[in-house]
Amino acid sequence: MALLVTDTTLRDAHQSLLATRMRTRDMLPIVEKLDQAGFFSLEVWGGATFDVCIRFLNEDPWDRLKAIREKAKNTRLQMLLRGQNLVGYRHYADDVLREFIRLAVKNGVDVFRIFDALNDLRNMEPAMRAVKEFGGHVQGTISYTTSPVHSIEGFADMALELEKLGSDSICIKDMAGLLSPGVTSELVTAIKKKTSLPLDLHSHCSSGMAPMSYHAAVMAGVDIVDTAFSAFSWGTSQPPTESLVAAFKDTPYDTGIDLGLLNEIGEYFATLIPKYRPLFAPETMRPSISALLHQIPGGMLSNLVSQLREQDSLNRLGEVLQEVPRVRAALGYPPLVTPTSQVVGIQAVMNVVAGGRYAKVTKEVKDYFMGLYGRPPAPMNEEIRQLVAGSNGTIDVRPASILEPELEKMRADADKLGILHKEEDAITYALYPQVATKFLRGEIKEEVIPSPAQLPPSEAAPIELPAEFAVDVDGEIFNVKISSVLGKTVETAATKRRNGAKGAVPSPIGGMVLGITVKIGDTVKTGEVVARMEAMKMETEVHAPHDGVVREIIAYEGEVINSGDVLMVVTADGE
Ligand code: MN
């Protein structure tokens, strides 16, 4: 069956590579040609495109959408919608959500790719209903991640749930580029078994595997793949449109898209490169497998680096990289995507630099522990939840259901400020009150793209991960080495305890720690299960090699360790 293609050049590609700074005037000259190509859809709108337009470009995002619509009469236009967060960072009330979607449809969006950072369907349902109501196409989205609580079967079940809620198609959103060809094949096969809806694969070249994974997906029966024109492809962006189409030419999956026309469009985008070159960060342009080693997406890694640099603590990056999985485990393994990647990342930094774990917490983390982001994939760590949220209980209802309607008040406020000129302005204001006020008053100046000579050298320097760094684990300093061999992963603190400590309980295999089934102070007998490990997709139990009392637990849930690394210390009384 012919393969369908969604082109992301006007949304995700420039968001991933140049901080979403492409101007509407650089898009419009090529939209008619894009419209002739025969794409399934053109992704042109989303959270960052909306925000950046009004904050930095002095452009009205609604005008951009309308202008593209006028030139693209035959192709579906697509947007990425952050579920109840719409194109912002918090949950908006249902009346704002409904009005936003009504106006998005009115101005030209056909396909709404709807996701939630926690994969909490309750945060997606109202948006899905509104899109149906206004005649749009609902693409129910799975935010792909890996953790001890995520599985192929779980994602396939989610696809079925999304179908039951009225999705017209399903998207696998691999925002961090984690999918390998083998896993992609399994995932696509499992989802296609559960639902007959068209299935889209959205991945990023971050780890370098995406083109191979796309091929595997097509062989396994995926219907749509997301690509970007060559000039804005690779790096942390999507695989190149031209190459993908060429790869399947004259096969049963031939897209039917004309390569000559694609080449012409590709040449146009290439002419934009000199203008935007200063915005391409070198570290986004080469594949990096660090996301696979640390489970930290590329965009989040550069955020961590800049946060630490701001606090003059870049030398503590190693500790933060070790802390991120701990925080993520405590939060119930959320996928790391906006806004959870920020919530987790900032807390990990605080845990390292602010004098003790959870000694300082952000409002976001507190809100998170109070359930205001929704239900995490796994239960949160109860001890830490109580520490952070205090006596505040955790809500277990859909977070937006406790919000009062806010549209009329926002409209009235905007009217009072004298900034309401068209109906869309009320929504722009409701989403981003401070920035929208400035923008709608005409006080935003278009940011200037620096010429290469103006760039300070530090901005151009790639981020180098330290090959070795010191990690402080409960007061003990360990040297941690990053191994460059896939599968060997990171040498952990536990490595240093190999065979050393008396009473050490080593892991018989390398892999991920699924769970520690004992607590400090527990008495265990020889052969008792003390931990569960996952390796090669098989779950394995670790048994106590001798009787004793658990004195110390070294490994943590979600940690990837090597065979022989020490999980815990169990010694007899008096030892
Ligand atoms: Mn993406």
Side-chain angles (χ1 to χ4, degrees):
M1 209 186 67
L3 177 64
L4 302 170
V5 181
T6 288
D7 185 81
T8 68
T9 313
L10 303 185
R11 203 286 296 178
D12 202 357
H14 71 113
Q15 180 174 333
S16 299
L17 297 177
L18 39 129
T20 335
R21 296 302 204 272
M22 197 189 287
R23 271 60 169 172
T24 304
R25 59 179 180 275
D26 291 327
M27 300 176 178
L28 293 182
I30 201 64
V31 172
E32 277 156 343
K33 288 246 160 71
L34 282 168
D35 189 37
Q36 288 165 22
F39 290 115
F40 170 77
S41 64
L42 298 171
E43 192 190 48
V44 299
W45 231 47
T49 41
F50 198 100
D51 187 2
V52 168
C53 269
I54 59 171
R55 200 182 292 269
F56 300 115
L57 304 183
N58 190 29
E59 282 194 25
D60 193 309
W62 301 99
D63 290 348
R64 173 185 291 182
L65 177 57
K66 256 189 295 196
I68 294 174
R69 177 81 285 171
E70 273 164 29
K71 288 177 180 289
K73 299 221 187 313
N74 307 304
T75 313
R76 294 173 193 88
L77 297 185
Q78 183 168 317
M79 80 165 293
L80 181 64
L81 189 82
R82 299 169 181 162
Q84 199 77 27
N85 294 1
L86 300 176
V87 291
Y89 299 92
R90 69 169 179 93
H91 283 222
Y92 295 99
D94 290 336
D95 58 348
V96 170
L97 174 131
R98 195 169 167 280
E99 180 69 353
F100 176 88
I101 290 170
R102 182 182 75 82
L103 290 171
V105 171
K106 182 187 156 219
N107 284 286
V109 177
D110 301 293
V111 180
F112 290 76
R113 177 175 288 169
I114 302 171
F115 78 96
D116 175 67
L118 297 178
N119 283 330
D120 184 343
L121 294 167
R122 302 170 310 166
N123 293 335
M124 301 164 67
E125 234 181 305
M128 295 172 80
R129 263 202 310 272
V131 169
K132 294 304 262 186
E133 181 188 340
F134 295 111
H137 173 121
V138 172
Q139 189 165 83
T141 302
I142 297 164
S143 295
Y144 178 78
T145 188
T146 55
S147 87
V149 300
H150 288 91
S151 65
I152 300 267
E153 259 327 285
F155 288 127
D157 289 342
M158 184 178 172
L160 184 60
E161 291 302 315
L162 289 168
E163 174 174 354
K164 285 183 191 156
L165 290 174
S167 295
D168 299 294
S169 60
I170 303 287
C171 173
I172 303 166
K173 178 178 162 65
D174 176 26
M175 54 274 177
L178 300 173
L179 278 172
S180 66
V183 174
T184 305
S185 186
E186 283 180 43
L187 184 58
V188 169
T189 303
I191 293 175
K192 291 301 272 185
K193 248 183 221 158
K194 287 270 166 90
T195 162
S196 55
L197 290 178
L199 179 61
D200 179 299
L201 175 60
H202 173 91
S203 186
H204 288 253
C205 296
S206 324
S207 70
M209 298 191 290
M212 294 179 263
S213 300
Y214 276 24
H215 186 268
V218 173
M219 293 303 117
V222 91
D223 302 275
I224 313 166
V225 288
D226 284 18
T227 60
F229 274 90
S230 52
F232 295 96
S233 67
W234 300 118
T236 48
S237 176
Q238 272 75 55
T241 303
E242 301 95 309
S243 316
L244 190 285
V245 168
F248 291 104
K249 197 166 164 45
D250 299 326
T251 74
Y253 313 98
D254 196 324
T255 63
I257 298 174
D258 181 64
L259 281 175
L261 177 60
L262 286 192
N263 199 44
E264 206 182 312
I265 300 170
E267 291 298 320
Y268 170 79
F269 281 119
T271 65
L272 301 177
I273 288 288
K275 171 177 176 179
Y276 290 106
R277 192 188 308 280
L279 299 177
F280 279 86
E283 68 269 14
T284 62
M285 291 315 295
R286 70 183 165 90
S288 164
I289 56 158
S290 71
L292 309 175
L293 298 174
H294 309 294
Q295 311 282 308
I296 297 172
M300 187 175 164
L301 181 60
S302 39
N303 272 333
L304 293 174
V305 168
S306 63
Q307 277 184 52
L308 285 169
R309 196 177 272 150
E310 269 168 33
Q311 307 184 41
D312 212 14
S313 302
L314 197 53
N315 59 328
R316 307 194 74 178
L317 178 61
E319 292 165 71
V320 172
L321 292 179
Q322 300 262 307
E323 185 63 15
V324 166
R326 290 194 185 103
V327 173
R328 187 173 175 234
L331 266 58
Y333 297 104
L336 297 177
V337 62
T338 299
T340 44
S341 52
Q342 290 88 335
V343 173
V344 170
I346 292 168
Q347 191 57 47
V349 170
M350 285 194 168
N351 283 0
V352 168
V353 302
R357 295 211 165 104
Y358 303 96
K360 271 194 189 158
V361 294
T362 59
K363 179 185 178 298
E364 284 74 19
V365 167
K366 199 165 180 181
D367 285 352
Y368 184 99
F369 276 109
M370 286 165 65
L372 299 179
Y373 283 80
R375 189 187 294 137
M380 301 181 263
N381 181 307
E382 183 54 23
E383 216 174 300
I384 297 172
R385 193 196 68 74
Q386 284 188 15
L387 181 76
V388 172
S391 55
N392 299 305
T394 297
I395 62 160
D396 60 1
V397 294
R398 180 176 74 91
S401 69
I402 60 170
L403 298 176
E404 294 294 328
E406 51 190 359
L407 181 60
E408 288 321 314
K409 186 185 175 306
M410 286 299 197
R411 204 196 306 270
D413 289 354
D415 197 26
K416 238 182 271 166
L417 290 165
I419 54 175
L420 271 189
H421 302 293
K422 56 180 189 297
E423 57 179 345
E424 289 82 0
D425 294 343
I427 284 294
T428 306
Y429 177 78
L431 294 169
Y432 289 97
Q434 288 84 16
V435 187
T437 303
K438 281 193 194 164
F439 168 72
L440 293 168
R441 281 182 172 157
E443 293 168 5
I444 300 285
K445 280 211 176 60
E446 182 185 341
E447 187 187 67
V448 176
I449 300 173
S451 69
Q454 290 172 300
L455 279 182
S458 67
E459 294 296 314
I463 295 171
E464 286 299 340
L465 278 178
E468 276 193 77
F469 44 76
V471 182
D472 181 323
V473 180
D474 302 328
E476 289 185 72
I477 307 292
F478 297 97
N479 285 313
V480 175
K481 251 197 310 207
I482 294 181
S483 156
S484 61
V485 186
L486 248 187
K488 274 286 280 181
T489 69
V490 181
E491 283 194 42
T492 61
T495 313
K496 298 294 165 189
R497 305 266 179 103
R498 230 181 253 204
N499 312 318
K502 190 172 170 56
V505 179
S507 173
I509 48 164
M512 179 156 59
V513 181
L514 285 178
I516 302 288
T517 52
V518 291
K519 296 190 302 292
I520 289 176
D522 283 359
T523 302
V524 296
K525 292 254 169 281
T526 307
E528 200 175 310
V529 177
V530 293
R532 291 179 300 115
M533 295 284 301
E534 190 208 67
M536 315 289 280
K537 302 203 188 81
M538 300 282 289
E539 196 177 316
T540 307
E541 291 176 339
V542 181
H543 305 275
H546 46 258
D547 294 354
V549 176
V550 180
R551 305 290 175 188
E552 196 179 359
I553 292 175
I554 295 164
Y556 57 91
E557 276 183 33
E559 188 177 21
V560 178
I561 63 174
N562 294 318
S563 162
D565 287 356
V566 178
L567 292 163
M568 61 190 67
V569 176
V570 175
T571 58
D573 269 337
E575 277 188 272

